Amino acid sequence: MTEAASAPTAGRLTLRPVREDDEAVCRRAHEELAADAFEFLLEDPEQPWPAYVRRLDEVARGVDLAPGRVAMTFRVADVGGQVVGRTSVRHELTEWLARYGGHIGYGVRPAYRRRGYATEILRRSLAVARGVGIREALLVCDNGNLGSAAVIERCGGRLDAVAPGPEGHGPIRRYWVPTS
């Protein structure tokens, strides 16, 4: 199925905060994406779930951030009550994020890929970024990840450079994407 053919389904996608009743599905998604070396959950997911949900709210407000960390809005992508993916929008960039991580990190669970969800997650993530004052978002992906590159370009991304990735990692593609 092509991204365009699945647009009506992707249009039902919403980004919402993690809730206390999301524990089982979010932990399952974390395990699924570990096979891709991608963390679905961030900010110490091993803590008790109610504390984890509260911590995500604190991180979004910039409360008690560890050195080198920035405020981040974390949302799950929900389609008809199913968590299909997630996004994290970093409100500013550290030196490391400016080189390797970017403003937005998003992922789609394996069972929900190739349905247009990645594009819709990124589109809605750009609106979140705009809401925290980011006019142009930096996004990065592995140089060989043609699917992610296509999603970023579909959302208006302009390739800035193909650059060396962090130590032990291959090259990355750096894109700037307007949030308006």
Side-chain angles (χ1 to χ4, degrees), residues 1-156:
M1 178 179 295
T2 66
E3 293 267 343
S6 62
T9 301
R12 294 189 346 242
L13 183 143
T14 60
L15 295 181
R16 64 167 176 79
V18 175
R19 302 183 305 233
E20 288 196 22
D21 64 341
D22 288 327
E23 181 175 13
V25 69
C26 285
R27 292 201 187 280
R28 225 176 8 262
H30 192 70
E31 290 173 11
E32 292 167 4
L33 289 168
D36 295 337
F38 184 88
E39 292 184 328
F40 187 88
L41 298 171
L42 303 172
E43 294 297 320
D44 189 19
E46 298 305 316
Q47 63 185 309
W49 193 255
Y52 178 74
V53 172
R54 284 191 304 277
R55 180 65 190 140
L56 289 175
D57 180 61
E58 291 172 352
V59 169
R61 293 182 288 117
V63 174
D64 293 329
L65 299 175
R69 304 292 288 198
V70 298
M72 167 199 68
T73 300
F74 183 92
R75 296 288 183 261
V76 292
D78 184 304
V79 176
Q82 296 295 315
V83 173
V84 302
R86 67 90 160 155
T87 188
S88 58
V89 178
R90 299 157 195 120
H91 301 186
E92 59 186 301
L93 298 175
T94 62
E95 184 178 331
W96 192 93
L97 289 172
R99 294 179 84 189
Y100 308 118
H103 283 103
I104 299 171
Y106 63 92
V108 176
R109 296 174 66 193
Y112 297 98
R113 292 180 180 157
R114 304 193 57 76
R115 299 183 193 186
Y117 295 139
T119 301
E120 193 60 25
I121 290 170
L122 180 53
R123 281 190 183 122
R124 292 173 189 252
S125 298
L126 290 166
V128 172
R130 183 175 53 251
V132 297
I134 299 166
R135 294 183 57 192
E136 214 175 21
L138 174 65
L139 276 94
V140 301
C141 67
D142 289 343
N143 190 44
N145 189 341
L146 301 180
S148 189
V151 166
I152 295 167
E153 290 170 6
R154 196 174 295 118
C155 290

